[in-house]
Amino acid sequence: MNRLILWFNQTGSPPNFDRFAARWTPWAFAIALVSLAIGLYGALFEVPADYKQGESFRILYIHVPAAWMSLFIFVVMAAQAIIALVWRIKLCEILAMACAPIGAAFTLITLASGSIWGKPTWGTWWTWDPRLTSELVLLFLYLGVIGLYNAIEDRRAAARAAAFLAVIGLVNVPIVHFAVNWWNTLHQGETIRLIGPSKMDPSMMWPLLATALGTKAWFVGSLLQRARVMNLEQETGKAWVGQAMGDASRED
């Protein structure tokens, strides 16, 4: 445990984090591209058409991983925000704020793919279903965090204000997740369970798991990349930043 805490403390140093992000960002993107390619190939060419929805169900392999990520990223953002507010760790402020645009993108993909899927399935592009409405609220929360962070000139004060909104918005995450259980909704119930049997046939499951892994890896790569840029911007003028930029230019 002491070694783990020491590793976190060392990685939390701005120059150490810069080196850590520079090293692992390409690996995260490489894993993401391979996993997404495998998953999408399986979804398009290996998985049979659904007996009820036909070919339109294949958008599930984009919609479901994106929906999972929209919730997962908000939880990660709120967790980093809590750490930043309690212990005033600058890197956690940066990580929390770097999460917001990535989470907003995944939420937008969720809403767009859900609408495309909903048209042939439900006969409408949009309905004020509890699951859909709470997911839309999630998008507004992401945009609120982004807007609040960019509205205040002082970066530390801006991050703290936006972190409060992220923590408050965390209450919406269980509403999105459990909406299909708490209310009578048009949206279908849980098909895939981490505990207990899933309703999806195993032959259709592996491409979904591959795309889910790909979106997780893409998030890690995007988070490290964005956080590294924000870290360099906030540390501008420090000697280690000039040295890092000089090393990067020599590599190019």
Side-chain angles (χ1 to χ4, degrees):
M1 181 61 71
N2 290 335
R3 288 184 179 181
L4 182 62
I5 294 173
L6 179 62
W7 180 83
F8 275 114
N9 288 334
Q10 290 176 342
T11 307
S13 168
N16 288 344
F17 175 76
D18 182 75
R19 289 190 291 270
F20 177 85
R23 178 179 181 183
W24 293 108
T25 297
W27 285 100
F29 280 129
I31 294 170
L33 291 173
V34 172
S35 298
L36 289 171
I38 292 172
L40 292 176
Y41 175 84
L44 292 174
F45 302 109
E46 296 293 330
V47 173
D50 184 74
Y51 75 103
K52 282 186 178 179
Q53 301 181 43
E55 301 292 346
S56 65
F57 100 101
R58 297 184 192 278
I59 201 169
L60 168 149
Y61 295 99
I62 296 175
H63 177 72
V64 172
W68 287 345
M69 290 306 301
S70 69
L71 299 177
F72 174 77
I73 295 173
F74 203 97
V75 172
V76 172
M77 179 176 70
Q80 294 290 342
I82 291 171
I83 296 171
L85 289 170
V86 174
W87 287 285
R88 301 297 178 94
I89 299 175
K90 182 161 60 173
L91 180 61
C92 291
E93 294 176 1
I94 291 172
L95 289 170
M97 296 304 103
C99 281
I102 309 168
F106 274 111
T107 308
L108 187 60
I109 293 171
T110 301
L111 292 168
S113 59
S115 295
I116 295 170
W117 193 6
K119 180 60 176 174
T121 305
W122 299 337
T124 181
W125 295 101
W126 181 263
T127 180
W128 293 102
D129 177 271
R131 169 63 69 81
L132 276 66
T133 304
S134 55
E135 185 75 14
L136 181 62
V137 170
L138 190 70
L139 176 61
F140 291 152
L141 286 168
Y142 275 123
L143 296 178
V145 170
I146 296 169
L148 188 57
Y149 179 66
N150 288 290
I152 302 173
E153 187 174 351
D154 186 315
R155 294 294 83 192
R156 299 298 302 275
R160 286 192 289 271
F164 274 113
L165 179 58
V167 174
I168 294 170
L170 191 61
V171 70
N172 188 55
V173 172
I175 294 175
V176 177
H177 181 71
F178 292 110
V180 294
N181 299 325
W182 290 347
W183 294 285
N184 183 22
T185 70
L186 186 61
H187 196 285
Q188 70 184 55
E190 268 190 321
T191 303
I192 302 159
R193 296 188 178 96
L194 295 177
I195 301 175
S198 296
K199 297 179 182 178
M200 177 178 283
D201 188 270
S203 66
M204 297 180 171
M205 184 76 76
W206 68 267
L208 183 62
L209 297 178
T211 52
L213 173 62
T215 53
K216 290 286 192 303
W218 188 269
F219 164 61
V220 171
S222 299
L223 178 62
L224 291 176
Q225 186 177 62
R226 293 187 64 86
R228 187 189 182 203
V229 171
M230 294 170 68
N231 183 45
L232 289 170
E233 289 176 347
Q234 292 194 22
E235 295 292 309
T236 299
K238 300 288 182 66
W240 74 266
V241 175
Q243 183 180 357
M245 293 293 96
D247 293 343
S249 62
R250 281 195 294 272
E251 290 176 4
D252 294 340

